[in-house]
Amino acid sequence: MDQNNQNNNGYMNNDQVPVYNPGVMPGQAPQYSYQQPQNVSVDPNIYTNEDRKKANILCIVSLICFFVVPSLEVAFFKMINTISVNLSGNTTSEIVRGGIGSISFMAAWALMIYVRVRYKKSIFGKVLMWLYISMVIIFVIFIVAIIVACGQAIKNCPG
Amino acid sequence: MQIVLPVFEHSIYSVILAASILIGIIVACIMMRRAGAKKDTVFYTALFVFVSIVVCSFTMSFCFTGNIKDIGFVGAGGALGVLVGAGLSIFIHEDHMSDSLSAWIITAPLMYGLSKLACHFSGCCYGFKYEGPFVVIYKGGDYVEAPLNTPLFPVQILESVIFILIFITGFILYGKMKSTINASLVTIVLCVFFKCLLDIFRNRGGLRISSNKIMAVTVGTVSIIFILLAKKLIMEYEDGSKQSKQ
């Protein structure tokens, strides 16, 4: 310990041979590095069993929002149209239909991104991300294909 | 001086529109990175904003037309998409919140300004009948909505120029102002004012209260309220994180 201290202070070793230590000048206090203790609970790299469960639940909710809610909504409005009145052309019904579908779709994306940010090591979250990205790519290819094939899709502003 | 539009085999609207969204996203990503946001934050925010723009635009056009075949891009829907996408993202990531939100809002007029070139070439959103300098004349093309061989006011080009200038103003303010959120508020006010003003020169616009003016004022008001609330929440969050560090 003493030997180490002497060396660190730039003086002499046990054999009294002068040792040059450029890091610390004579008479200067040795510098100690201090690391701030990290808050473990918010670190996204730490992935416990409980985190996995939470991530999986969020991913399942995201999948429901992405696939189940829009399908149920379409089925519900088709059922109403066949049973009672035809709602197509009714502005309120269009707003409700469009609103529910888009909100659930956006919620699905938001939950997936939340999982990817908070629980980086969740495999379900990673799979979900690539599933959604591939669906966006398929959608873009589909639109491009229609444009190239017949030049009909999105040819000017709708309103 | 006349601007005579060439006749294309197919409409080039969607190509210019896609390019304008892409350019806007790239510019916003660069602004976020320069503000110090992490790569992950930039990637996920860009992805979410893109999805949000498409979803909000298509939903709004579906609500307007009521027909799934007529869905497309609407300016107000795109603006709402940017607000929703960027607004939700900043609370998910909690990384350079005010700079990230402001970067996307300031870039919105750039996307809109460039997309108006698509309207110019495809002959939609055209101006009133006018005989003066820079008249626009459409010669043909089955995609053109505007009347053919008629001199029209170049409202789409004027909108492009003004909205790109609004973006430049916002970008300069973003760099100079202490609070970047205030720069985004100035940008929104300018956008709403000029959107309503330029609607007067449109064929379907005039001085009457048109659906375009109503949508612009509604989306602008919602955006301002949302940003003021977000500003308060960001300040509270930053104060909380400062206290926890101490």
Side-chain angles (χ1 to χ4, degrees), chain A residues 64-80:
Chain A
I64 290 169
C65 288
F66 199 92
F67 292 107
V68 181
V69 175
S71 314
L72 281 177
E73 183 212 0
V74 170
F76 177 73
F77 274 92
K78 273 198 172 177
M79 195 179 71
I80 283 184

Side-chain angles (χ1 to χ4, degrees), chain A residues 12-154:
Chain A
M12 290 184 178
N13 62 6
N14 272 351
D15 304 327
Q16 296 295 304
V17 178
V19 174
Y20 174 65
N21 185 348
V24 181
M25 296 299 287
Q28 192 181 1
Q31 289 181 351
Y32 300 104
S33 66
Y34 172 70
Q35 270 194 323
Q36 195 87 21
Q38 286 186 332
N39 191 355
V40 178
S41 62
V42 293
D43 190 348
N45 292 317
I46 291 171
Y47 192 56
T48 60
N49 268 342
E50 204 172 311
D51 289 340
R52 194 174 62 226
K53 277 179 194 166
K54 278 182 193 170
N56 287 350
I57 290 167
L58 289 171
C59 288
I60 289 164
V61 174
S62 170
L63 272 175
I64 290 169
C65 288
F66 199 92
F67 292 107
V68 181
V69 175
S71 314
L72 281 177
E73 183 212 0
V74 170
F76 177 73
F77 274 92
K78 273 198 172 177
M79 195 179 71
I80 283 184
N81 284 350
T82 48
I83 290 171
S84 56
V85 284
N86 187 5
L87 286 175
S88 58
N90 182 332
T91 316
T92 317
S93 106
E94 309 299 4
I95 290 171
V96 171
R97 281 175 69 183
I100 293 172
S102 52
I103 288 169
S104 73
F105 190 75
M106 300 282 287
W109 274 89
L111 283 171
M112 180 277 286
I113 292 171
Y114 183 82
V115 170
R116 291 293 297 138
V117 172
R118 299 284 167 208
Y119 310 103
K120 272 186 182 171
K121 290 189 177 172
S122 165
I123 295 168
F124 197 170
K126 206 175 272 184
V127 170
L128 211 60
M129 180 186 81
W130 286 112
L131 176 74
Y132 290 178
I133 289 176
S134 57
M135 293 195 86
V136 167
I137 293 168
I138 289 168
F139 169 76
V140 171
I141 291 171
F142 176 71
I143 295 283
V144 170
I146 293 175
I147 291 164
V148 171
C150 46
Q152 283 300 307
I154 315 174

Side-chain angles (χ1 to χ4, degrees), chain A residues 36 88-89 91 93-99 101-103 105-107 109-114 116-118 120 129-130 133 136 139-140 143 147-159, chain B residues 10-11 13-14 17 40 43-44 47-48 50-52 54-56 58-59 61-63 65-67 70-74 84-85 88 91-94 116 119 122 124-125 142-145 204 245:
Chain A
Q36 195 87 21
S88 58
T91 316
S93 106
E94 309 299 4
I95 290 171
V96 171
R97 281 175 69 183
S102 52
I103 288 169
F105 190 75
M106 300 282 287
W109 274 89
L111 283 171
M112 180 277 286
I113 292 171
Y114 183 82
R116 291 293 297 138
V117 172
R118 299 284 167 208
K120 272 186 182 171
M129 180 186 81
W130 286 112
I133 289 176
V136 167
F139 169 76
V140 171
I143 295 283
I147 291 164
V148 171
C150 46
Q152 283 300 307
I154 315 174
K155 56 183 179 180
N156 47 33
C157 288
Chain B
H10 294 306
S11 168
Y13 176 85
S14 43
L17 193 79
D40 273 9
F43 172 70
Y44 288 120
L47 192 66
F48 193 47
F50 172 72
V51 171
S52 182
V54 174
V55 170
C56 288
F58 283 15
T59 307
S61 62
F62 176 68
C63 294
T65 60
N67 189 353
D70 294 333
I71 59 169
F73 285 91
V74 185
V84 171
L88 279 175
F91 291 108
I92 292 173
H93 297 284
E94 294 173 352
K116 278 291 131 189
C119 296
S122 67
C124 60
C125 312
D142 58 351
Y143 51 85
V144 173
E145 254 184 43
R204 291 181 198 163
K245 273 181 188 172

Side-chain angles (χ1 to χ4, degrees), chain B residues 96-223:
Chain B
H96 292 82
M97 295 166 88
S98 47
D99 291 340
S100 300
L101 180 64
S102 306
W104 285 99
I105 288 166
I106 287 165
T107 320
L110 176 69
M111 291 189 209
Y112 183 76
L114 293 175
S115 71
K116 278 291 131 189
L117 291 174
C119 296
H120 173 67
F121 284 107
S122 67
C124 60
C125 312
Y126 54 93
F128 58 78
K129 282 178 191 171
Y130 154 87
E131 285 183 15
F134 304 108
V135 289
V136 177
I137 297 172
Y138 292 95
K139 290 286 181 189
D142 58 351
Y143 51 85
V144 173
E145 254 184 43
L148 302 179
N149 302 312
T150 311
L152 301 168
F153 186 77
V155 68
Q156 304 106 316
I157 296 177
L158 192 63
E159 271 192 270
S160 271
V161 171
I162 286 178
F163 276 85
I164 290 169
L165 286 175
I166 292 173
F167 161 71
I168 293 168
T169 311
F171 187 78
I172 292 167
L173 290 175
Y174 180 82
K176 288 200 171 174
M177 281 176 114
K178 202 177 175 184
S179 164
T180 51
I181 288 273
N182 290 344
S184 66
L185 284 171
V186 173
T187 308
I188 291 172
V189 171
L190 286 173
C191 284
V192 173
F193 175 74
F194 280 104
K195 175 80 184 161
C196 292
L197 186 73
L198 290 167
D199 192 60
I200 295 170
F201 302 105
R202 278 198 190 180
N203 183 49
R204 291 181 198 163
L207 287 168
R208 69 191 175 86
I209 300 168
S210 62
S211 60
N212 260 328
K213 290 188 193 85
I214 295 169
M215 286 309 299
V217 172
T218 310
V219 173
T221 312
V222 169
S223 306

